[in-house]
Amino acid sequence: MKKLLTLFAIMLVPVFVLAATEVEPEEGFNCQEEKQAFEQIASQDNDYFIAQHVLINMATPMEKQGFYIFTPSGTKSLKTPDYERAVCYNSFRVKGQPFVQFVRAQAGSFREKEATQLLDFVGKVEGLSKVAEMHQVAAKGNTSFTMQHILINMADPFAQLPDAEAAPVARVYAKAYINGKKLGQFVRENANIFPGDVSGKEAQNLNDFADRIANLAR
């Protein structure tokens, strides 16, 4: 793992380069190696410096490289890499906290520009990871089960996020396709699928989810 000269190096904190690509997914990307390298950073006592490492060595490269967009046919657009890295980052933890939760909590310690960059980054990480899970569930071919997954694992957590944190996630969801349809369209068409939803609460929550994606992704 190459070392990157940053202010971390000045402070004798080891910094590892997370190489980015311009057009296609990275070759030889190893999540376990990335995780082990990050754990050395995450063991530092100063949360601000951990977050600064994330900003410099993770958020900035990922911002440049973009991410995959699923097309209606279910294939990936080659115009924007990289999907695998987001799923990997989402598995990280910092002092017992989920990676995304930690970075969001630390974003307020930075100036507005850097804070926005961090929130955009973890929004992308969270959104892509949840889209990846959704596709795995949808591949089983059970629409009712897929909708339950979307409600519990996507819609409900998304509803708890303030707009500033939800907007980057919404921009990912707005580009996601499932079974040949955009996520929002799929959700609206199947919102009433739940047996026993006499009150219509689940259907309303799902429609609210689709509406908020559309509003925040503008």
Side-chain angles (χ1 to χ4, degrees):
M1 186 75 65
K2 297 180 181 179
K3 289 188 177 180
L4 178 67
L5 180 60
T6 67
L7 65 88
F8 286 103
I10 296 175
M11 302 189 70
L12 300 181
V13 179
V15 177
F16 297 85
V17 174
L18 302 181
T21 64
E22 291 296 326
V23 180
E24 296 182 354
E26 300 170 69
E27 293 184 3
F29 176 78
N30 187 308
C31 182
Q32 188 59 33
E33 289 182 0
E34 298 283 348
K35 190 172 185 177
Q36 289 174 356
F38 180 74
E39 285 173 349
Q40 296 184 47
I41 300 297
S43 66
Q44 304 298 318
D45 292 332
N46 192 314
D47 289 349
Y48 178 84
F49 290 126
I50 298 171
Q52 198 164 42
H53 169 85
V54 172
L55 175 67
I56 295 170
N57 297 293
M58 301 170 76
T60 299
M62 193 169 178
E63 182 180 40
K64 292 178 180 178
Q65 69 188 26
F67 56 89
Y68 271 130
I69 298 171
F70 279 90
T71 65
S73 65
T75 60
K76 298 174 182 178
S77 166
L78 292 180
K79 295 180 181 179
T80 52
D82 169 348
Y83 193 92
E84 182 182 13
R85 184 174 287 277
V87 176
C88 177
Y89 290 165
N90 195 54
S91 69
F92 292 1
R93 299 186 72 84
V94 183
K95 300 177 182 178
Q97 293 184 62
F99 175 76
V100 169
Q101 180 181 321
F102 172 83
V103 176
R104 281 183 175 142
Q106 293 300 314
S109 302
F110 291 80
R111 294 177 301 179
E112 183 177 358
K113 179 181 178 181
E114 287 78 12
T116 299
Q117 187 178 359
L118 282 169
L119 291 180
D120 285 348
F121 165 65
V122 291
K124 183 186 296 184
V125 167
E126 181 178 277
L128 286 173
S129 298
K130 289 184 179 293
V131 170
E133 293 172 359
M134 177 188 71
H135 277 272
Q136 290 179 341
V137 173
K140 298 177 181 178
N142 187 322
T143 302
S144 178
F145 184 64
T146 300
M147 290 303 298
Q148 290 179 54
H149 175 88
I150 291 173
L151 175 65
I152 296 169
N153 298 285
M154 299 175 75
D156 287 349
F158 186 72
Q160 302 304 312
L161 295 176
D163 285 355
E165 296 176 4
V169 183
R171 288 192 286 272
V172 175
Y173 287 167
K175 294 180 174 70
Y177 282 86
I178 176 171
N179 294 352
K181 298 177 181 179
K182 282 197 170 184
L183 174 60
Q185 178 187 354
F186 179 85
V187 167
R188 288 190 179 96
E189 290 180 357
N190 295 285
N192 295 306
I193 201 170
F194 294 99
D197 182 18
V198 179
S199 67
K201 180 180 178 181
E202 285 83 359
Q204 185 60 54
N205 289 347
L206 285 163
N207 280 306
D208 289 346
F209 171 60
D211 289 343
R212 194 176 186 214
I213 290 172
N215 291 332
L216 291 179
R218 291 175 181 172

